[in-house]
Amino acid sequence: MQFPESWLREFCNPPLSTAELADLLTMAGLEVEATRPVAPPFSRVVVAEIVEAEPHPNADRLRVCRVDAGPHSKDGPLQIVCGAPNARVGIKVPLALVGAELPPADEGGAPFAIKLGQLRGVESQGMLCSARELKLSDDHGGLLELSADAPLGQDIRQALALDDTLFTLKLTPNLAHALSVYGIAREVSALTGAPLKPPVHPLVPVMHADRLPVRIDAPDLCGRFSGRIVRNVNTKAQTPAWMVDRLARCGQRPVSALVDISNYVMFEFGRPSHIFDLDKIHEHLVVRWAKPGESLKLLNGNTVELDGGVGVIADAQAVESLAGIMGGDATAVSDDTRNVYVEAAFWWPAAVAGRARRFNFSTDAGHRFERGVDPALTVEHIEHITRLIIDICGGEPGPVDDQQVNLPNPAPVTLRAERAAKVIGMPISAAQCAQVFQRLGLEFTEAGGRLTVTPPSWRFDLALEEDLIEEVARVIGYEQLPAAAPLAPVTPYIRPESQRSTFAVRRALAALGYQETINFSFVEARWEHELHGNADPIRVLNPIAAPLSVMRSSLIGSLVQVLRHNLARKAPRVRVFELGRVAWRDAGVAAGALDVAGVAQPMRVAGLAYGPVDATQWGLEERAADFFDLKGDVETLLAPRAVEFRPDAHPALHPGRSAKVLVDGQAIGFIGELHPRWRQGYELPLAPMVFELDLAAVLVRPVPAFQTIARHQAAIRDLALVVPETARHDGLIAALRADPSGLVRSATLFDVYKPAAGTADLAPGERSMAVRLELLDDTANLTDERIDAAVAAAVARAAQALGARLRG
């Protein structure tokens, strides 16, 4: 909420500076997000009147004006050359005298000095200013026209009250009573003890007896509805400059006199209202819930389809307004309007909350009604609005029609002084609590250290004892709380030795050259369909952007998007990873403290490698990263655990270059090259390598166990085995190591030979795989007989499993 400090001080003027006032509000829970001056510094700009305006002799678009600046033009009117289209005799405008300094054109620039000069051969003794040149607004269509009663020669800062400060407050939803200048003044009065100037709304003389029939069919929507007819209104009247200025300083642009009056009262007292064109209303008004199939064209030009969950004001023929949110176009006031109906109502917050967001817009009225607007002052505020209408637009008011069908009945709330002291953390007496409630204007009764408060009509946030305790704490002042360190048992969480932290995983991947990325958990539905084969992803009910409409069940889509982002910025080599949560439907998941029924939400770690294996250098020939480079990274990440890679298919990966990752026989993820179809579909020059693993499995690490150093020397034997081309490396190694005696400690492939054509010892379709066996017995030296027997048994196992034979 934005408002000028001067308006606040008209209701309550404490002896505080602007900075002290801002700090007071912030410490009381009404956070002041920003303060800024109404106008930047400038000097020697005064009120002047154009008394003559003649065409420039040497320029078609310039005029030579003679202006009266009061005491600043003792020797007669000053001559000013001006190119503004609205420069004419009789208007009062800002005049920058010779020697004046105007705000710089660019932020951080030097002030613009006004000097005596000539324009096209005619002397100019100053400059007439637009609002943009004074940095009051962006309007540069002409000179800033001042009020006709502005004193000549008066400093423009004084004439326009420019030595003012704009406050911008960031209010929490429970502070509905502070969504007006008067509401904030009431808070300032309670916090400082400065007197509050209560508003006075004298009754407007009634000039006719006409009433508009109104019926409330939905008491759960509208608790009170007040209105009156005002006839013979001049809707073409100009909004007074003082009202336009205040609205502008609240961030509201002027529209028309009637609309400006309604907005003005909303900012002043927090009372949204609506003014209908009476002659466009058919017979009567009905307050009710909308019917399915009804529609309404709003004042913003949008046409919305309604249902039974939206409140409306309708006449005998159609819906005319969204209750508490926005009026309809059909009954909007215009320049042709002569008779109006002024409405002020109390709409139940629950009946308004969220309705505007259904139609993808918000309004100041809806913002206030969904938080709660004082139901007690609808008639008084209609009197105030009527007085402003008569003063500005004229008119003949009728009687006020006021219907009260379902007003809030707030339950009393009891505060215990001893509990307040315990919660706040400092000694608080019942007398101090009573003093706070008196300053806040809360009615209460006291008995035995218990104060029972009846919330006033403007406080919708007082429902619990904790609400009253908060009021006591913020009025007394949070700065009064003692700086006492909390006393509580500290129970450290000790991670099991068999588990490493997520930060250790991050550091391990960073050491491999990967950079961490953090992406949204909601992604494009296309990614889910194409890269994970998920035909039914979990949809986001209210996505922040239309494409980000589903929850991701894989991290691969996010990493591919990061790759595209980097490639668009000419990055030749990309290594990225992410630790994140994924989600998919799983009927087996039960509801729990951290679980949602029917939704699995595990953590995953995924990585992507694209481009050269190493950065450009002279020592190695450049080559693109392939499956085996990424396989090595995964093995390093999971070391010292043994990792198995089995060929497998995945919707995102190349059919012949993908595998599932297994640890201890359990599948924990997948690895491979992006499918050529998706490489082309996502416009990638090369196919990246990707992996995705279950984070819980990655966090597991074996606990080191003591093992004695062997006292005997290991025996090494190299074998050249002829195997079919279909034989897999992992199958061969597993067969050789499956030694029941335990002598074969390791088997390592160190050479593969396949001739271009068949040889005497290699038939077509065969290849030779050279393997080194390490044999060791911890208890005794190995003899040649035992070694030969163990090697023969290993060859026999390989022959049985794969059809291997020793190469001759």
Side-chain angles (χ1 to χ4, degrees):
M1 178 183 170
Q2 179 178 298
F3 62 90
E5 179 184 359
S6 60
W7 198 359
L8 171 67
R9 290 186 182 274
E10 287 188 7
F11 290 112
C12 181
N13 190 12
L16 299 175
S17 67
T18 299
E20 291 170 337
L21 180 59
D23 183 66
L24 173 77
L25 290 173
T26 298
M27 292 305 297
L30 287 76
E31 180 185 356
V32 178
E33 191 173 28
T35 59
R36 62 181 178 88
V38 169
F42 56 80
S43 61
R44 289 184 59 79
V45 181
V46 299
V47 177
E49 180 180 1
I50 300 178
V51 294
E52 293 181 22
E54 299 176 352
H56 193 290
N58 302 320
D60 294 338
R61 296 186 179 182
L62 298 179
R63 298 177 68 82
V64 179
C65 302
R66 299 183 67 79
V67 300
D68 182 4
H72 301 282
S73 52
K74 296 179 180 178
D75 298 330
L78 301 175
Q79 179 173 282
I80 310 293
V81 178
C82 177
N86 63 335
R88 64 186 187 276
V89 174
I91 63 170
K92 292 184 177 180
V93 295
L95 167 63
L97 301 168
V98 173
E101 289 192 344
L102 301 185
D106 299 319
E107 187 174 353
F112 180 67
I114 302 299
K115 302 177 182 178
L116 185 67
Q118 289 193 352
L119 290 177
R120 295 290 185 92
V122 177
E123 184 179 71
S124 183
Q125 299 171 320
M127 180 175 121
L128 301 181
C129 302
S130 68
R132 184 176 184 179
E133 288 160 341
L134 297 178
K135 291 291 187 288
L136 302 182
S137 75
D138 292 330
D139 181 16
H140 61 288
L143 300 176
L144 174 61
E145 298 189 27
L146 305 175
S147 172
D149 57 358
L152 292 177
Q154 185 180 34
D155 191 302
I156 199 69
R157 303 192 71 89
Q158 181 180 355
L160 297 180
L162 299 181
D163 293 320
D164 199 356
T165 302
L166 298 183
F167 277 61
T168 301
L169 269 57
K170 186 178 181 181
L171 300 176
T172 52
N174 63 313
L175 297 175
H177 59 283
L179 285 170
S180 67
V181 177
Y182 182 75
I184 298 168
R186 185 165 47 203
E187 288 290 307
V188 172
S189 176
L191 295 169
T192 63
L196 177 68
K197 180 181 178 182
V200 178
H201 305 302
L203 298 180
V204 176
V206 174
M207 303 181 69
H208 60 82
D210 297 343
R211 296 174 184 264
L212 177 67
V214 177
R215 186 176 76 249
I216 301 176
D217 287 350
D220 57 336
L221 167 65
C222 178
R224 184 176 186 180
F225 194 97
S226 306
R228 84 175 340 151
I229 293 173
V230 181
R231 295 194 178 278
N232 298 322
V233 174
N234 177 19
T235 56
K236 297 181 181 179
Q238 292 294 317
T239 306
W242 60 268
M243 182 178 288
V244 170
D245 288 343
R246 281 191 172 173
L247 288 174
R249 293 178 188 184
C250 290
Q252 181 69 47
R253 65 178 182 84
V255 179
S256 66
L258 292 176
V259 175
D260 293 345
I261 290 170
S262 178
N263 288 333
Y264 180 84
V265 175
M266 178 181 68
F267 286 115
E268 187 177 27
F269 295 115
R271 167 66 58 191
S273 59
H274 187 63
I275 301 178
F276 295 85
D277 187 326
L278 178 66
D279 298 324
K280 297 177 183 177
I281 298 176
H282 301 92
E283 299 181 18
H284 59 265
L285 292 180
V286 179
V287 179
R288 58 174 174 82
W289 294 103
K291 300 173 184 177
E294 289 184 316
S295 63
L296 172 65
K297 183 178 181 182
L298 299 169
L299 289 172
N300 61 8
N302 295 342
T303 299
V304 295
E305 300 297 326
L306 308 176
D307 57 37
V310 179
V312 298
I313 302 175
D315 62 13
Q317 295 186 6
V319 174
E320 302 298 351
S321 177
L322 276 184
I325 299 174
M326 182 180 288
D329 182 70
T331 54
V333 296
S334 65
D335 288 347
D336 298 326
T337 299
R338 289 294 172 265
N339 305 306
V340 299
Y341 181 76
V342 182
E343 165 264 314
F346 167 70
W347 306 101
W348 282 97
V352 178
R355 270 54 174 191
R357 287 186 289 276
R358 290 189 187 182
F359 307 116
N360 296 319
F361 69 88
S362 62
T363 64
D364 288 328
H367 182 78
R368 286 162 172 79
F369 277 123
E370 66 184 8
R371 287 160 172 75
V373 175
D374 187 357
L377 299 175
T378 57
V379 172
E380 289 81 353
H381 290 160
I382 280 189
E383 294 289 351
H384 184 45
I385 294 171
T386 305
R387 171 57 62 190
L388 291 172
I389 291 175
I390 293 173
D391 291 345
I392 297 171
C393 304
E396 301 167 0
V400 175
D401 181 30
D402 182 33
Q403 299 185 49
Q404 303 181 33
V405 295
N406 183 23
L407 294 179
N409 185 22
V413 183
T414 299
L415 176 140
R416 295 163 289 173
E418 67 276 8
R419 173 157 175 76
K422 182 177 181 181
V423 172
I424 295 174
M426 61 182 289
I428 297 290
S429 66
Q432 287 177 291
C433 296
Q435 184 181 17
V436 168
F437 296 155
Q438 288 174 351
R439 291 164 64 177
L440 289 171
L442 307 180
E443 295 183 0
F444 65 94
T445 59
E446 182 180 359
R450 293 176 174 243
L451 292 86
T452 301
V453 174
T454 301
S457 59
W458 65 85
R459 293 299 297 265
F460 288 80
D461 60 321
L462 302 180
L464 305 172
E465 182 178 18
E466 286 74 11
D467 297 330
L468 296 179
I469 294 174
E470 179 187 5
E471 295 299 299
V472 172
R474 71 186 189 88
V475 173
I476 289 178
Y478 293 119
E479 67 277 5
Q480 302 298 325
L481 294 175
L487 298 176
V490 177
T491 305
Y493 170 73
I494 301 176
R495 184 180 297 105
E497 192 177 359
S498 60
Q499 186 180 33
R500 57 178 168 174
S501 71
T502 57
F503 296 102
V505 175
R506 290 184 171 96
R507 287 192 290 269
L509 285 167
L512 292 169
Y514 291 78
Q515 293 182 316
E516 184 176 11
T517 66
I518 300 175
N519 301 290
F520 284 126
S521 295
F522 22 86
V523 298
E524 296 185 29
R526 173 192 175 191
W527 301 357
E528 285 296 295
H529 299 156
E530 296 177 350
L531 301 178
H532 202 62
N534 187 359
D536 186 26
I538 299 173
R539 295 205 164 270
V540 180
L541 294 179
N542 188 23
I544 61 172
L548 307 180
S549 59
V550 300
M551 300 297 294
R552 63 182 178 180
S553 58
S554 171
L555 304 180
I556 299 303
S558 300
L559 295 183
V560 170
Q561 181 61 26
V562 171
L563 171 61
R564 296 180 64 196
H565 180 83
N566 281 269
L567 291 179
R569 287 151 182 80
K570 308 301 181 183
R573 183 177 183 273
V574 178
R575 299 288 188 278
V576 291
F577 76 93
E578 181 178 6
L579 273 72
R581 196 173 296 278
V582 296
W584 62 79
R585 290 185 173 85
D586 186 348
V589 178
L594 300 176
D595 296 308
V596 177
V599 179
Q601 303 180 74
M603 290 288 291
R604 291 279 194 266
V605 55
L608 179 147
Y610 175 91
V613 175
D614 297 295
T616 302
Q617 58 167 298
W618 63 269
L620 293 174
E621 183 179 351
E622 183 175 295
R623 66 175 181 86
D626 58 18
F627 176 91
F628 298 99
D629 294 308
L630 199 66
K631 174 177 174 288
D633 290 342
V634 171
E635 289 176 326
T636 302
L637 176 64
L638 295 172
R641 303 171 72 193
V643 187
E644 183 181 355
F645 300 87
R646 291 182 188 173
D648 196 19
H650 189 279
L653 303 181
H654 191 297
R657 300 175 186 174
S658 62
K660 61 181 176 182
V661 183
L662 298 95
V663 175
D664 300 330
Q666 298 292 323
I668 66 168
F670 57 86
I671 180 175
E673 178 183 311
L674 191 68
H675 197 292
R677 180 191 305 168
W678 309 138
R679 180 195 67 76
Q680 184 176 5
Y682 290 93
E683 300 177 344
L684 303 175
L686 300 173
M689 304 295 155
V690 297
F691 72 84
E692 183 171 322
L693 308 174
D694 180 19
L695 182 60
V698 176
L699 296 180
V700 175
R701 63 179 174 184
V703 178
F706 173 75
Q707 185 177 1
T708 58
I709 299 175
R711 296 184 177 183
H712 306 284
Q713 189 174 0
I716 304 297
R717 294 292 184 270
D718 293 342
L719 305 177
L721 299 173
V722 178
V723 298
E725 287 187 358
T726 56
R728 291 168 41 198
H729 166 266
D730 56 350
L732 176 62
I733 298 300
L736 293 173
R737 294 196 59 182
D739 182 9
S741 67
L743 294 183
V744 178
R745 295 299 178 92
S746 68
T748 305
L749 177 71
F750 64 87
D751 186 37
V752 177
Y753 172 68
K754 180 183 177 183
T759 62
D761 56 350
L762 289 176
E766 291 183 329
R767 59 181 171 177
S768 173
M769 301 180 73
V771 181
R772 176 164 294 172
L773 299 182
E774 180 185 8
L775 299 94
L776 179 66
D777 186 347
D778 292 331
T779 60
N781 283 324
L782 290 173
T783 63
D784 289 340
E785 292 78 9
R786 294 181 66 191
I787 293 172
D788 292 342
V791 171
V795 173
R797 291 193 300 271
Q800 182 180 2
L802 303 172
R805 71 177 188 276
L806 281 174
R807 184 179 176 189

